[in-house]
Amino acid sequence: VILPRAVRDALVAHARDAAPGECCGVLVGSAGAIVSAVPARNLSGQPSRFLIDPEDHIQARRAARAAGRDVVGFYHSHPDHPARPSQYDLDHAWPTFAYIIVAVASGKSEAMTVWYLKEDRSAFDEGELNGN
Ligand SMILES: [Zn+2]
């Protein structure tokens, strides 16, 4: 999926701001290209969990539709953890959406990966992030 540099930078900034908590948000665009990211509230009270506020999700979807776009995925951060999906991430993912994970650790450069749930929901396949 194409991820513009400016959006990538925004995801990293959000992840660093939220650390040591997890940030989360909605990815807007079309199939194959993300054009913007909308930060959302993380309703999960637990560490290493994220739960996108459904209101933020609905609002982002409405705004995306009005602009002729759609919600194509979600992002969240892994503070001090690798950019690989957890079992929790697997259990809470939906097919067809792009799941971007931003791993941040203090004093280190970030890592970013994108994942797609297999049709049978058994695991994720890693995708490719391309800048433009
Ligand atoms: Zn995660």
Side-chain angles (χ1 to χ4, degrees):
V1 67
I2 292 168
L3 182 71
R5 184 80 220 179
V7 178
R8 185 189 173 94
D9 291 348
L11 299 191
V12 172
H14 191 195
R16 290 211 180 275
D17 278 355
E22 278 198 21
C23 75
C24 60
V26 178
L27 301 167
V28 172
S30 58
I34 291 161
V35 297
S36 62
V38 184
R41 279 165 291 190
N42 185 354
L43 290 188
S44 170
Q46 292 169 285
S48 306
R49 294 275 191 280
F50 79 101
L51 179 63
I52 290 174
D53 187 328
E55 262 181 55
D56 289 348
H57 185 180
I58 289 164
Q59 209 163 30
R61 196 167 135 143
R62 215 174 268 147
R65 289 271 164 88
R69 292 180 180 132
D70 212 344
V71 169
V72 293
F74 305 94
Y75 71 92
H76 72 285
S77 61
H78 280 183
D80 295 313
H81 282 286
R84 301 193 62 82
S86 63
Q87 185 64 43
Y88 177 90
D89 294 339
L90 183 65
D91 293 344
H92 294 82
W94 295 90
T96 76
F97 287 104
Y99 287 88
I100 289 182
I101 299 176
V102 191
V104 289
S106 56
K108 287 190 191 156
S109 61
E110 68 285 350
M112 200 179 289
T113 54
V114 64
W115 304 84
Y116 297 88
L117 192 64
K118 286 184 194 288
E119 199 93 6
D120 67 4
R121 299 188 171 202
S122 63
F124 281 106
D125 285 320
E126 185 166 10
E128 244 182 87
L129 283 173
N130 300 302
N132 71 353

